[in-house]
PDB file of all heavy atoms in Angstrom:
ATOM      1  N   GLU A 210    -107.804   6.328 -71.700  1.00 66.00           N
ATOM      2  CA  GLU A 210    -107.174   5.055 -71.353  1.00 66.00           C
ATOM      3  C   GLU A 210    -107.062   4.092 -72.536  1.00 66.00           C
ATOM      4  O   GLU A 210    -106.601   2.956 -72.364  1.00 66.00           O
ATOM      5  CB  GLU A 210    -107.898   4.363 -70.186  1.00 66.00           C
ATOM      6  CG  GLU A 210    -107.927   5.201 -68.912  1.00 66.00           C
ATOM      7  CD  GLU A 210    -108.416   4.431 -67.708  1.00 66.00           C
ATOM      8  OE1 GLU A 210    -107.659   3.566 -67.213  1.00 66.00           O
ATOM      9  OE2 GLU A 210    -109.541   4.709 -67.266  1.00 66.00           O
ATOM     10  N   MET A 211    -107.463   4.492 -73.729  1.00 68.00           N
ATOM     11  CA  MET A 211    -107.304   3.645 -74.912  1.00 68.00           C
ATOM     12  C   MET A 211    -106.029   4.050 -75.635  1.00 68.00           C
ATOM     13  O   MET A 211    -105.857   5.229 -75.991  1.00 68.00           O
ATOM     14  CB  MET A 211    -108.505   3.790 -75.851  1.00 68.00           C
ATOM     15  CG  MET A 211    -109.812   3.262 -75.277  1.00 68.00           C
ATOM     16  SD  MET A 211    -111.194   3.481 -76.428  1.00 68.00           S
ATOM     17  CE  MET A 211    -110.581   2.576 -77.846  1.00 68.00           C
ATOM     18  N   ARG A 212    -105.101   3.092 -75.839  1.00 69.00           N
ATOM     19  CA  ARG A 212    -103.857   3.380 -76.539  1.00 69.00           C
ATOM     20  C   ARG A 212    -104.175   3.808 -77.982  1.00 69.00           C
ATOM     21  O   ARG A 212    -105.003   3.210 -78.660  1.00 69.00           O
ATOM     22  CB  ARG A 212    -102.955   2.142 -76.557  1.00 69.00           C
ATOM     23  CG  ARG A 212    -102.506   1.694 -75.167  1.00 69.00           C
ATOM     24  CD  ARG A 212    -101.498   2.666 -74.596  1.00 69.00           C
ATOM     25  NE  ARG A 212    -101.106   2.288 -73.238  1.00 69.00           N
ATOM     26  CZ  ARG A 212     -99.888   2.446 -72.765  1.00 69.00           C
ATOM     27  NH1 ARG A 212     -98.945   2.971 -73.522  1.00 69.00           N
ATOM     28  NH2 ARG A 212     -99.596   2.110 -71.531  1.00 69.00           N
ATOM     29  N   MET A 213    -103.471   4.845 -78.434  1.00 66.00           N
ATOM     30  CA  MET A 213    -103.728   5.405 -79.764  1.00 66.00           C
ATOM     31  C   MET A 213    -102.415   5.482 -80.533  1.00 66.00           C
ATOM     32  O   MET A 213    -101.859   6.578 -80.749  1.00 66.00           O
ATOM     33  CB  MET A 213    -104.363   6.798 -79.623  1.00 66.00           C
ATOM     34  CG  MET A 213    -105.616   6.851 -78.762  1.00 66.00           C
ATOM     35  SD  MET A 213    -107.035   6.060 -79.544  1.00 66.00           S
ATOM     36  CE  MET A 213    -107.388   7.243 -80.834  1.00 66.00           C
ATOM     37  N   PRO A 214    -101.846   4.348 -80.945  1.00 67.00           N
ATOM     38  CA  PRO A 214    -100.582   4.385 -81.682  1.00 67.00           C
ATOM     39  C   PRO A 214    -100.727   5.142 -82.996  1.00 67.00           C
ATOM     40  O   PRO A 214    -101.720   4.991 -83.721  1.00 67.00           O
ATOM     41  CB  PRO A 214    -100.278   2.897 -81.919  1.00 67.00           C
ATOM     42  CG  PRO A 214    -101.585   2.198 -81.793  1.00 67.00           C
ATOM     43  CD  PRO A 214    -102.371   2.975 -80.803  1.00 67.00           C
ATOM     44  N   GLY A 215     -99.745   5.977 -83.275  1.00 64.00           N
ATOM     45  CA  GLY A 215     -99.769   6.755 -84.506  1.00 64.00           C
ATOM     46  C   GLY A 215    -100.793   7.869 -84.509  1.00 64.00           C
ATOM     47  O   GLY A 215    -101.056   8.495 -85.547  1.00 64.00           O
ATOM     48  N   PHE A 216    -101.370   8.166 -83.330  1.00 70.00           N
ATOM     49  CA  PHE A 216    -102.421   9.186 -83.251  1.00 70.00           C
ATOM     50  C   PHE A 216    -101.822  10.585 -83.390  1.00 70.00           C
ATOM     51  O   PHE A 216    -100.848  10.932 -82.732  1.00 70.00           O
ATOM     52  CB  PHE A 216    -103.135   9.050 -81.900  1.00 70.00           C
ATOM     53  CG  PHE A 216    -104.230  10.055 -81.676  1.00 70.00           C
ATOM     54  CD1 PHE A 216    -105.394  10.018 -82.416  1.00 70.00           C
ATOM     55  CD2 PHE A 216    -104.095  11.057 -80.716  1.00 70.00           C
ATOM     56  CE1 PHE A 216    -106.412  10.935 -82.199  1.00 70.00           C
ATOM     57  CE2 PHE A 216    -105.097  11.980 -80.495  1.00 70.00           C
ATOM     58  CZ  PHE A 216    -106.256  11.919 -81.241  1.00 70.00           C
ATOM     59  N   ASP A 217    -102.372  11.361 -84.322  1.00 73.00           N
ATOM     60  CA  ASP A 217    -101.942  12.748 -84.504  1.00 73.00           C
ATOM     61  C   ASP A 217    -102.811  13.620 -83.608  1.00 73.00           C
ATOM     62  O   ASP A 217    -103.983  13.873 -83.907  1.00 73.00           O
ATOM     63  CB  ASP A 217    -102.082  13.164 -85.968  1.00 73.00           C
ATOM     64  CG  ASP A 217    -101.536  14.573 -86.213  1.00 73.00           C
ATOM     65  OD1 ASP A 217    -101.121  15.222 -85.221  1.00 73.00           O
ATOM     66  OD2 ASP A 217    -101.544  15.023 -87.379  1.00 73.00           O
ATOM     67  N   ILE A 218    -102.229  14.059 -82.514  1.00 75.00           N
ATOM     68  CA  ILE A 218    -103.041  14.790 -81.534  1.00 75.00           C
ATOM     69  C   ILE A 218    -103.568  16.104 -82.071  1.00 75.00           C
ATOM     70  O   ILE A 218    -104.562  16.629 -81.565  1.00 75.00           O
ATOM     71  CB  ILE A 218    -102.230  15.053 -80.243  1.00 75.00           C
ATOM     72  CG1 ILE A 218    -101.014  15.913 -80.561  1.00 75.00           C
ATOM     73  CG2 ILE A 218    -101.819  13.757 -79.587  1.00 75.00           C
ATOM     74  CD1 ILE A 218    -100.274  16.358 -79.347  1.00 75.00           C
ATOM     75  N   ASP A 219    -102.914  16.644 -83.079  1.00 75.00           N
ATOM     76  CA  ASP A 219    -103.386  17.917 -83.612  1.00 75.00           C
ATOM     77  C   ASP A 219    -104.661  17.782 -84.427  1.00 75.00           C
ATOM     78  O   ASP A 219    -105.230  18.782 -84.868  1.00 75.00           O
ATOM     79  CB  ASP A 219    -102.282  18.578 -84.439  1.00 75.00           C
ATOM     80  CG  ASP A 219    -101.149  19.084 -83.560  1.00 75.00           C
ATOM     81  OD1 ASP A 219    -101.421  19.446 -82.401  1.00 75.00           O
ATOM     82  OD2 ASP A 219     -99.989  19.102 -84.021  1.00 75.00           O
ATOM     83  N   THR A 220    -105.111  16.547 -84.647  1.00 77.00           N
ATOM     84  CA  THR A 220    -106.413  16.338 -85.288  1.00 77.00           C
ATOM     85  C   THR A 220    -107.534  16.346 -84.262  1.00 77.00           C
ATOM     86  O   THR A 220    -108.709  16.283 -84.626  1.00 77.00           O
ATOM     87  CB  THR A 220    -106.428  15.002 -86.050  1.00 77.00           C
ATOM     88  OG1 THR A 220    -106.263  13.928 -85.120  1.00 77.00           O
ATOM     89  CG2 THR A 220    -105.318  14.962 -87.106  1.00 77.00           C
ATOM     90  N   TYR A 221    -107.154  16.399 -82.982  1.00 78.00           N
ATOM     91  CA  TYR A 221    -108.146  16.375 -81.914  1.00 78.00           C
ATOM     92  C   TYR A 221    -108.275  17.791 -81.353  1.00 78.00           C
ATOM     93  O   TYR A 221    -107.308  18.358 -80.865  1.00 78.00           O
ATOM     94  CB  TYR A 221    -107.718  15.404 -80.806  1.00 78.00           C
ATOM     95  CG  TYR A 221    -108.835  14.996 -79.867  1.00 78.00           C
ATOM     96  CD1 TYR A 221    -109.755  14.017 -80.254  1.00 78.00           C
ATOM     97  CD2 TYR A 221    -108.959  15.567 -78.616  1.00 78.00           C
ATOM     98  CE1 TYR A 221    -110.771  13.622 -79.400  1.00 78.00           C
ATOM     99  CE2 TYR A 221    -109.974  15.182 -77.755  1.00 78.00           C
ATOM    100  CZ  TYR A 221    -110.879  14.213 -78.151  1.00 78.00           C
ATOM    101  OH  TYR A 221    -111.885  13.833 -77.302  1.00 78.00           O
ATOM    102  N   PRO A 222    -109.452  18.408 -81.438  1.00 82.00           N
ATOM    103  CA  PRO A 222    -109.595  19.809 -81.006  1.00 82.00           C
ATOM    104  C   PRO A 222    -109.384  19.953 -79.496  1.00 82.00           C
ATOM    105  O   PRO A 222    -109.920  19.169 -78.706  1.00 82.00           O
ATOM    106  CB  PRO A 222    -111.030  20.159 -81.404  1.00 82.00           C
ATOM    107  CG  PRO A 222    -111.745  18.844 -81.441  1.00 82.00           C
ATOM    108  CD  PRO A 222    -110.731  17.832 -81.896  1.00 82.00           C
ATOM    109  N   TRP A 223    -108.609  20.929 -79.101  1.00 78.00           N
ATOM    110  CA  TRP A 223    -108.342  21.099 -77.674  1.00 78.00           C
ATOM    111  C   TRP A 223    -109.585  21.481 -76.903  1.00 78.00           C
ATOM    112  O   TRP A 223    -109.685  21.234 -75.697  1.00 78.00           O
ATOM    113  CB  TRP A 223    -107.234  22.139 -77.454  1.00 78.00           C
ATOM    114  CG  TRP A 223    -107.580  23.563 -77.797  1.00 78.00           C
ATOM    115  CD1 TRP A 223    -107.343  24.215 -78.962  1.00 78.00           C
ATOM    116  CD2 TRP A 223    -108.226  24.508 -76.939  1.00 78.00           C
ATOM    117  NE1 TRP A 223    -107.793  25.504 -78.916  1.00 78.00           N
ATOM    118  CE2 TRP A 223    -108.341  25.713 -77.671  1.00 78.00           C
ATOM    119  CE3 TRP A 223    -108.716  24.468 -75.639  1.00 78.00           C
ATOM    120  CZ2 TRP A 223    -108.935  26.862 -77.133  1.00 78.00           C
ATOM    121  CZ3 TRP A 223    -109.311  25.601 -75.111  1.00 78.00           C
ATOM    122  CH2 TRP A 223    -109.413  26.785 -75.864  1.00 78.00           C
ATOM    123  N   GLU A 224    -110.590  22.065 -77.593  1.00 82.00           N
ATOM    124  CA  GLU A 224    -111.827  22.421 -76.894  1.00 82.00           C
ATOM    125  C   GLU A 224    -112.571  21.190 -76.384  1.00 82.00           C
ATOM    126  O   GLU A 224    -113.434  21.285 -75.515  1.00 82.00           O
ATOM    127  CB  GLU A 224    -112.745  23.218 -77.827  1.00 82.00           C
ATOM    128  CG  GLU A 224    -112.210  24.583 -78.228  1.00 82.00           C
ATOM    129  CD  GLU A 224    -111.325  24.513 -79.476  1.00 82.00           C
ATOM    130  OE1 GLU A 224    -111.007  23.389 -79.928  1.00 82.00           O
ATOM    131  OE2 GLU A 224    -110.983  25.586 -79.998  1.00 82.00           O
ATOM    132  N   ALA A 225    -112.248  20.008 -76.942  1.00 83.00           N
ATOM    133  CA  ALA A 225    -112.912  18.776 -76.520  1.00 83.00           C
ATOM    134  C   ALA A 225    -112.154  18.065 -75.415  1.00 83.00           C
ATOM    135  O   ALA A 225    -112.524  16.960 -75.015  1.00 83.00           O
ATOM    136  CB  ALA A 225    -113.073  17.839 -77.721  1.00 83.00           C
ATOM    137  N   VAL A 226    -111.099  18.693 -74.894  1.00 84.00           N
ATOM    138  CA  VAL A 226    -110.253  18.067 -73.877  1.00 84.00           C
ATOM    139  C   VAL A 226    -110.616  18.600 -72.489  1.00 84.00           C
ATOM    140  O   VAL A 226    -110.682  19.805 -72.273  1.00 84.00           O
ATOM    141  CB  VAL A 226    -108.762  18.332 -74.171  1.00 84.00           C
ATOM    142  CG1 VAL A 226    -107.889  17.741 -73.058  1.00 84.00           C
ATOM    143  CG2 VAL A 226    -108.380  17.740 -75.516  1.00 84.00           C
ATOM    144  N   ALA A 227    -110.842  17.675 -71.555  1.00 84.00           N
ATOM    145  CA  ALA A 227    -111.124  18.074 -70.174  1.00 84.00           C
ATOM    146  C   ALA A 227    -109.838  18.233 -69.375  1.00 84.00           C
ATOM    147  O   ALA A 227    -109.733  19.115 -68.525  1.00 84.00           O
ATOM    148  CB  ALA A 227    -112.015  17.047 -69.496  1.00 84.00           C
ATOM    149  N   ALA A 228    -108.837  17.385 -69.650  1.00 85.00           N
ATOM    150  CA  ALA A 228    -107.576  17.454 -68.921  1.00 85.00           C
ATOM    151  C   ALA A 228    -106.543  16.601 -69.632  1.00 85.00           C
ATOM    152  O   ALA A 228    -106.870  15.749 -70.477  1.00 85.00           O
ATOM    153  CB  ALA A 228    -107.752  16.985 -67.481  1.00 85.00           C
TER     154      ALA A 228
END
Side-chain angles (χ1 to χ4, degrees):
E210 301 190 72
M211 294 179 58
R212 296 288 177 144
M213 306 289 289
F216 179 68
D217 185 356
I218 62 173
D219 289 330
T220 64
Y221 197 79
W223 68 265
E224 294 88 352
V226 177

